[in-house]
Amino acid sequence: MSSNVPPFAELIAACTQSAVHLEMRDVYSVEGERDRFEDWRRGVRLDPADEATWWRPWVDLIRETVARGVVVRRARIVSEPVSEYIRFEHSGTFTNVAAGEDVRWLPRRRASDLALPGNDFWLFDGRLIRWNHFTGDGASAGPELSDDPAAAKLCESAFEAVWERAIPHDEYEIH
């Protein structure tokens, strides 16, 4: 494993086939989302018709990646009833979908018998893992990179098991 992790944009730019992301926390408190989350709490919602207000440069990065033929999928395991943060995430996920990500949601109780890694991750081309570490309160504790084949196999099988059970974004109703 390496503690010298290239920027995410560089990792996904090197990706040629697939990028999958598994999220398993009910609360994230990452620096780049705090203002948007607070705005959402005050009733501000993204307007699907006003794409210029969506999260940039993320939308552009995913569009460019998908245009190169890379399949980008995201699965979220969530406790129900969902946290306020998950409500926030759900309300803005249409931007991920519009950018070209395929997003699904899995209620945590339906994941009980799945073998899952201990941390959220991105898996690039089934071989390179970017672990996302978080503190107890959801702040980023920094990423870590691994090309360990056994860990990549675990991540791939865990993601596919979650994906198979998960509900597509446009069908998932917040509880």
Side-chain angles (χ1 to χ4, degrees), residues 54-161:
W54 298 357
W55 185 21
R56 301 274 193 239
W58 182 258
V59 170
D60 296 329
L61 179 62
I62 295 304
R63 281 193 172 142
E64 292 165 10
T65 301
V66 171
R68 291 188 291 108
V70 176
V71 175
V72 181
R73 296 183 294 160
R74 177 186 307 252
R76 293 176 170 143
I77 299 174
V78 296
S79 300
E80 292 180 327
V82 299
S83 67
E84 182 181 36
Y85 182 85
I86 295 299
R87 288 182 184 283
F88 158 71
E89 269 195 337
H90 188 270
S91 76
T93 295
F94 74 88
T95 64
N96 299 72
V97 173
E101 279 188 62
D102 196 356
V103 180
R104 293 187 183 181
W105 303 81
L106 181 64
R108 191 170 309 280
R109 69 179 57 240
R110 293 179 52 194
S112 296
D113 62 343
L114 298 179
L116 300 170
N119 293 290
D120 290 10
F121 64 85
W122 276 93
L123 179 63
F124 302 101
D125 292 332
R127 61 172 187 74
L128 184 63
I129 307 160
R130 181 184 191 261
W131 298 110
N132 294 329
H133 298 290
F134 296 93
T135 64
D137 64 359
S140 176
E144 184 177 15
L145 207 58
S146 172
D147 61 1
D148 176 61
K153 185 176 179 178
L154 170 64
C155 289
E156 186 170 41
S157 65
F159 183 87
E160 294 304 330

